Amino acid sequence: SGDWSSDVALPILIAQGDIQACHLETPGRTVKGWIRPSDLDLAERLAAGQVRRDRARLLSPFDPVLWDRARASLLFGFDHVLEIYKRAEERRYGYYVVPALAGDRFIRRVDVKAHRGDDRLQVRHLHFEVPTPKARERAAMHHAIRRHAQSVALPAVDGHEMLPPTETEEETDHA
Protein backbone atom coordinates (compact mmCIF):
# COMPACT_ATOMS: atom_id res chain seq x y z
CA SER A 1 0.00 0.00 0.00
CA GLY A 2 1.03 3.68 -0.24
CA ASP A 3 1.53 4.21 3.50
CA TRP A 4 5.29 4.70 3.76
CA SER A 5 7.04 5.91 6.87
CA SER A 6 10.71 6.70 7.36
CA ASP A 7 10.92 3.59 9.59
CA VAL A 8 9.98 1.50 6.55
CA ALA A 9 11.59 3.47 3.71
CA LEU A 10 15.02 4.19 5.19
CA PRO A 11 16.09 0.57 5.77
CA ILE A 12 14.98 -0.30 2.24
CA LEU A 13 16.94 2.63 0.72
CA ILE A 14 20.00 1.73 2.79
CA ALA A 15 19.81 -1.96 1.80
CA GLN A 16 19.53 -0.98 -1.87
CA GLY A 17 22.59 1.25 -1.55
CA ASP A 18 20.61 4.37 -2.47
CA ILE A 19 21.56 6.21 0.74
CA GLN A 20 23.87 5.81 3.70
CA ALA A 21 23.89 7.28 7.17
CA CYS A 22 25.95 10.39 7.80
CA HIS A 23 26.21 13.22 10.30
CA LEU A 24 26.88 16.93 10.27
CA GLU A 25 28.96 18.58 12.96
CA THR A 26 27.74 22.07 13.83
CA PRO A 27 29.00 24.36 16.59
CA GLY A 28 26.11 23.41 18.86
CA ARG A 29 25.34 19.82 18.02
CA THR A 30 25.67 16.80 15.74
CA VAL A 31 22.84 16.29 13.24
CA LYS A 32 22.19 12.79 11.91
CA GLY A 33 21.04 12.33 8.35
CA TRP A 34 21.48 10.41 5.08
CA ILE A 35 23.42 10.99 1.92
CA ARG A 36 23.43 9.47 -1.53
CA PRO A 37 26.72 7.67 -2.25
CA SER A 38 27.03 9.72 -5.45
CA ASP A 39 27.23 12.88 -3.29
CA LEU A 40 30.05 11.69 -1.00
CA ASP A 41 32.78 13.35 -3.10
CA LEU A 42 30.91 16.66 -3.06
CA ALA A 43 30.41 16.40 0.72
CA GLU A 44 34.15 15.76 1.20
CA ARG A 45 35.04 18.79 -0.95
CA LEU A 46 32.59 20.93 1.01
CA ALA A 47 34.01 19.70 4.32
CA ALA A 48 37.52 20.52 3.12
CA GLY A 49 36.43 24.01 2.09
CA GLN A 50 37.08 23.35 -1.60
CA VAL A 51 34.12 25.20 -3.02
CA ARG A 52 34.04 28.04 -5.51
CA ARG A 53 33.31 31.32 -3.82
CA ASP A 54 34.07 33.45 -6.86
CA ARG A 55 30.78 32.58 -8.57
CA ALA A 56 27.55 33.19 -6.68
CA ARG A 57 24.06 31.99 -7.56
CA LEU A 58 20.87 33.87 -6.81
CA LEU A 59 18.35 31.54 -5.20
CA SER A 60 14.63 31.89 -5.41
CA PRO A 61 13.04 32.60 -2.04
CA PHE A 62 11.21 29.32 -2.68
CA ASP A 63 14.38 27.27 -3.30
CA PRO A 64 14.51 23.98 -1.33
CA VAL A 65 17.66 25.20 0.44
CA LEU A 66 15.51 27.89 2.09
CA TRP A 67 12.27 25.95 2.68
CA ASP A 68 13.22 24.91 6.18
CA ARG A 69 14.35 28.13 7.85
CA ALA A 70 15.69 26.31 10.92
CA ARG A 71 17.85 24.08 8.69
CA ALA A 72 19.12 27.05 6.64
CA SER A 73 20.03 28.79 9.88
CA LEU A 74 21.78 25.69 11.22
CA LEU A 75 23.71 24.96 8.01
CA PHE A 76 24.50 28.49 6.86
CA GLY A 77 23.78 30.81 9.77
CA PHE A 78 21.31 32.49 7.43
CA ASP A 79 17.75 33.56 8.14
CA HIS A 80 15.68 34.38 5.08
CA VAL A 81 12.35 36.11 5.46
CA LEU A 82 9.99 36.63 2.55
CA GLU A 83 8.95 40.28 2.84
CA ILE A 84 6.44 40.57 0.00
CA TYR A 85 3.57 40.44 2.47
CA LYS A 86 4.96 43.18 4.71
CA ARG A 87 4.16 46.86 4.34
CA ALA A 88 6.99 48.77 2.65
CA GLU A 89 8.00 50.54 5.87
CA GLU A 90 8.32 47.19 7.68
CA ARG A 91 10.67 45.61 5.14
CA ARG A 92 14.31 45.32 6.05
CA TYR A 93 15.77 44.18 2.72
CA GLY A 94 13.15 44.85 0.03
CA TYR A 95 10.04 43.54 -1.70
CA TYR A 96 11.28 40.44 -3.57
CA VAL A 97 14.69 39.68 -2.12
CA VAL A 98 16.75 36.79 -3.43
CA PRO A 99 19.79 35.58 -1.51
CA ALA A 100 23.13 34.97 -3.19
CA LEU A 101 24.95 31.73 -2.35
CA ALA A 102 28.70 31.67 -3.07
CA GLY A 103 30.28 28.34 -2.31
CA ASP A 104 29.06 27.31 1.11
CA ARG A 105 27.76 30.62 2.42
CA PHE A 106 25.27 33.31 1.69
CA ILE A 107 27.07 36.55 0.84
CA ARG A 108 24.34 38.98 -0.08
CA ARG A 109 20.64 39.70 -0.43
CA VAL A 110 19.45 41.50 -3.53
CA ASP A 111 16.08 43.01 -4.36
CA VAL A 112 15.62 42.81 -8.12
CA LYS A 113 12.76 43.79 -10.37
CA ALA A 114 12.24 42.75 -13.98
CA HIS A 115 11.10 45.46 -16.39
CA ARG A 116 10.05 43.33 -19.35
CA GLY A 117 8.87 46.27 -21.48
CA ASP A 118 12.31 47.86 -21.26
CA ASP A 119 14.29 44.59 -21.45
CA ARG A 120 16.11 45.37 -18.23
CA LEU A 121 16.66 44.01 -14.75
CA GLN A 122 16.69 46.60 -11.98
CA VAL A 123 18.84 46.07 -8.90
CA ARG A 124 16.78 47.93 -6.31
CA HIS A 125 18.71 47.14 -3.16
CA LEU A 126 21.78 45.16 -2.10
CA HIS A 127 22.76 44.01 1.36
CA PHE A 128 26.02 42.20 2.08
CA GLU A 129 25.97 39.62 4.89
CA VAL A 130 29.48 40.68 5.95
CA PRO A 131 30.31 44.25 7.00
CA THR A 132 33.22 44.72 4.58
CA PRO A 133 32.91 42.49 1.51
CA LYS A 134 36.08 41.51 -0.28
CA ALA A 135 36.55 42.10 -3.99
CA ARG A 136 36.01 38.36 -4.54
CA GLU A 137 32.55 38.58 -2.95
CA ARG A 138 31.68 41.68 -4.98
CA ALA A 139 32.84 39.92 -8.15
CA ALA A 140 30.78 36.82 -7.23
CA MET A 141 27.72 39.01 -6.78
CA HIS A 142 28.32 40.80 -10.07
CA HIS A 143 28.50 37.41 -11.79
CA ALA A 144 25.29 36.22 -10.10
CA ILE A 145 23.27 39.26 -11.14
CA ARG A 146 24.53 39.15 -14.74
CA ARG A 147 23.78 35.41 -14.87
CA HIS A 148 20.30 35.99 -13.45
CA ALA A 149 19.60 38.74 -15.99
CA GLN A 150 20.62 36.37 -18.81
CA SER A 151 18.49 33.55 -17.43
CA VAL A 152 15.38 35.74 -17.51
CA ALA A 153 16.30 37.14 -20.97
CA LEU A 154 16.90 40.72 -19.82
CA PRO A 155 20.02 42.08 -21.54
CA ALA A 156 20.36 45.30 -19.52
CA VAL A 157 20.98 45.67 -15.80
CA ASP A 158 20.22 48.91 -13.95
CA GLY A 159 21.75 49.52 -10.57
CA HIS A 160 25.00 47.78 -11.49
CA GLU A 161 26.87 50.75 -10.01
CA MET A 162 26.14 48.99 -6.73
CA LEU A 163 28.32 46.16 -8.04
CA PRO A 164 31.76 47.78 -8.00
CA PRO A 165 34.35 45.05 -8.67
CA THR A 166 37.14 46.65 -10.65
CA GLU A 167 40.43 45.36 -11.95
CA THR A 168 42.25 47.41 -9.29
CA GLU A 169 40.19 45.92 -6.46
CA GLU A 170 40.75 42.41 -7.79
CA GLU A 171 44.52 42.94 -7.87
CA THR A 172 44.76 44.42 -4.37
CA ASP A 173 42.45 42.03 -2.55
CA HIS A 174 44.01 38.57 -2.57
CA ALA A 175 42.52 37.16 0.63
Side-chain angles (χ1 to χ4, degrees):
S1 90
D3 185 23
W4 285 84
S5 72
S6 60
D7 292 336
V8 173
L10 289 173
I12 293 171
L13 293 170
I14 291 169
Q16 292 173 345
D18 293 331
I19 61 171
Q20 67 183 60
C22 67
H23 67 276
L24 174 69
E25 297 291 334
T26 68
R29 65 181 205 199
T30 299
V31 180
K32 294 181 181 181
W34 298 269
I35 189 169
R36 297 179 307 179
S38 61
D39 291 332
L40 286 171
D41 180 56
L42 176 60
E44 288 175 19
R45 288 194 337 244
L46 287 170
Q50 299 172 348
V51 294
R52 288 194 72 169
R53 292 195 176 119
D54 61 333
R55 295 288 186 252
R57 301 290 188 257
L58 296 184
L59 299 183
S60 162
F62 306 105
D63 190 282
V65 170
L66 301 169
W67 283 349
D68 184 336
R69 289 178 57 197
R71 183 183 64 194
S73 179
L74 175 70
L75 295 176
F76 300 102
F78 184 79
D79 184 31
H80 184 70
V81 178
L82 188 60
E83 297 184 313
I84 61 176
Y85 300 111
K86 291 183 178 183
R87 292 190 299 257
E89 62 273 8
E90 295 175 349
R91 294 182 193 133
R92 181 172 178 192
Y93 302 109
Y95 177 74
Y96 192 80
V97 174
V98 293
L101 182 65
D104 61 348
R105 60 191 166 146
F106 286 94
I107 61 168
R108 201 167 200 178
R109 300 168 199 252
V110 58
D111 184 11
V112 293
K113 179 176 174 112
H115 295 277
R116 295 272 174 213
D118 298 334
D119 285 335
R120 67 184 173 90
L121 181 71
Q122 178 188 13
V123 177
R124 295 166 27 139
H125 181 72
L126 293 168
H127 173 81
F128 272 108
E129 296 300 306
V130 294
T132 308
K134 297 177 180 171
R136 175 183 60 203
E137 291 162 336
R138 290 188 298 271
M141 194 65 214
H142 182 74
H143 174 265
I145 289 175
R146 291 279 179 209
R147 186 173 184 267
H148 180 71
Q150 289 175 344
S151 75
V152 294
L154 295 172
V157 177
D158 284 353
H160 55 78
E161 62 276 1
M162 292 187 265
L163 305 169
T166 64
E167 300 293 332
T168 306
E169 286 176 325
E170 288 294 334
E171 293 169 1
T172 60
D173 184 8
H174 299 290

